Amino acid sequence: PKRIADRTSSDITEDSMGRTIMILFGPPGAGKGTHAPKIVEAHKFPQLSTGDMLRAAVAAGTEVGKKAKAIMEAGGLVTDEIVVGIIKEATAAKECEKGFILDGFPRTQEQATILDQMLKESGEEVGSVICLEVPDSVLTERICGRWIHKESGRSYHVKFAPPKSLKPGETANAENMKDDETGQPLMQRGDDTEEALVKRLEGYHAQTVPILDHYAPRGIVSKCNADQEMDKVWAEIEAAIKK
């Protein structure tokens, strides 16, 4: 058998348990929350959020979870190594035997390098990096028009999915934005304002571009135009997964 260093990416794909390891990127409002569940449903492997995995590891009292808990209780930031350790634990589960989607990790080039090292230990590597792309101006309209019903999580949009209480031509406010089912007032998230969004997008671009550059030489990065009809976005995602 070839040593890992001598193997091509196709070799690794074939003999490393055949898992599909995918990273999903997209700025706030790009539609990750819409398309990730469709990938999960179509391909039968889970979407793993680092926040959810961290909370689960702490709750389960795993070895890595205990380390993370001690750091958090002391007011510190969980290290990249601990986060990767939590991902390693989580991806050993049976539900990940076909593969998994990482959402929210890596956020920096250093994290990408540590993740690569962890996967290399089992002869694996990231096989697909999908980036949903939408112009910032479009995201501003999408996000700053969002209102939610806090209790149910139902989401509305001033332009694209207004509640019945908002009459044509009216400007949205707390008085005329009401939940269709309960009639209760809707609310906007604090980070759905234009000022907050500018900072979120600056942070996203600053973090993401270096990571895409990190994986680009392998030919595994696919940029999907998420500023089009949903079925066309999905077709681009499907094509990227099969690449």
Side-chain angles (χ1 to χ4, degrees):
K2 302 174 189 173
R3 293 179 300 123
I4 285 178
D6 299 331
R7 297 191 296 178
T8 64
S9 58
S10 60
D11 290 324
I12 290 174
T13 303
E14 286 168 16
D15 67 4
S16 61
M17 300 160 62
R19 295 205 295 186
T20 301
I21 299 173
M22 184 188 307
I23 299 172
L24 184 62
F25 285 116
K32 270 197 317 175
T34 300
H35 293 291
K38 291 169 74 173
I39 299 173
V40 170
E41 177 61 30
H43 297 278
K44 307 301 180 204
F45 47 72
Q47 173 188 7
L48 302 177
S49 151
T50 44
D52 291 345
M53 285 187 284
L54 186 60
R55 284 186 286 275
V58 170
T62 67
E63 191 178 331
V64 185
K66 286 174 185 170
K67 288 181 186 175
K69 185 179 181 183
I71 291 171
M72 290 190 291
E73 285 180 347
L77 289 172
V78 178
T79 64
D80 292 345
E81 286 77 10
I82 285 180
V83 174
V84 169
I86 285 168
I87 292 171
K88 189 173 184 178
E89 277 186 349
T91 57
K94 186 170 174 58
E95 66 170 356
C96 295
E97 63 185 5
K98 287 186 178 181
F100 52 90
I101 307 166
L102 285 177
D103 180 6
F105 192 90
R107 288 183 184 272
T108 65
Q109 195 167 351
E110 292 77 23
Q111 290 177 349
T113 302
I114 297 169
L115 175 66
D116 290 346
Q117 289 167 349
M118 183 271 279
L119 292 172
K120 193 174 180 180
E121 289 170 11
S122 55
E124 296 182 287
E125 62 180 12
V126 174
S128 181
V129 178
I130 295 178
C131 184
L132 302 181
E133 297 204 318
V134 180
D136 287 0
S137 57
V138 175
L139 294 172
T140 301
E141 182 179 50
R142 284 187 187 181
I143 286 183
C144 298
R146 289 198 303 204
W147 289 67
I148 59 168
H149 180 239
K150 192 172 181 181
E151 285 181 22
S152 67
R154 278 188 290 276
S155 182
Y156 297 86
H157 191 281
V158 171
K159 180 176 178 182
F160 306 117
K164 294 170 186 168
S165 57
L166 182 67
K167 301 296 180 277
E170 285 185 349
T171 301
N173 58 54
E175 298 299 315
N176 59 17
M177 294 295 283
K178 304 282 178 70
D179 178 47
D180 285 350
E181 292 192 23
T182 64
Q184 293 170 340
L186 302 177
M187 59 168 284
Q188 280 193 295
R189 281 174 37 181
D191 56 1
D192 279 355
T193 65
E194 198 159 342
E195 298 76 23
L197 181 61
V198 168
K199 289 182 182 173
R200 288 168 76 191
L201 290 175
E202 282 175 358
Y204 171 78
H205 293 308
Q207 286 177 340
T208 308
V209 171
I211 300 171
L212 297 181
D213 289 346
H214 172 84
Y215 287 112
R218 296 193 207 163
I220 60 172
V221 174
S222 299
K223 296 181 178 180
C224 300
N225 175 13
D227 184 23
Q228 55 181 336
E229 292 171 16
M230 293 240 294
D231 56 346
K232 290 180 179 174
V233 179
W234 177 242
E236 286 197 25
I237 292 171
E238 281 281 68
I241 294 171
K242 290 171 184 170
K243 206 165 73 168

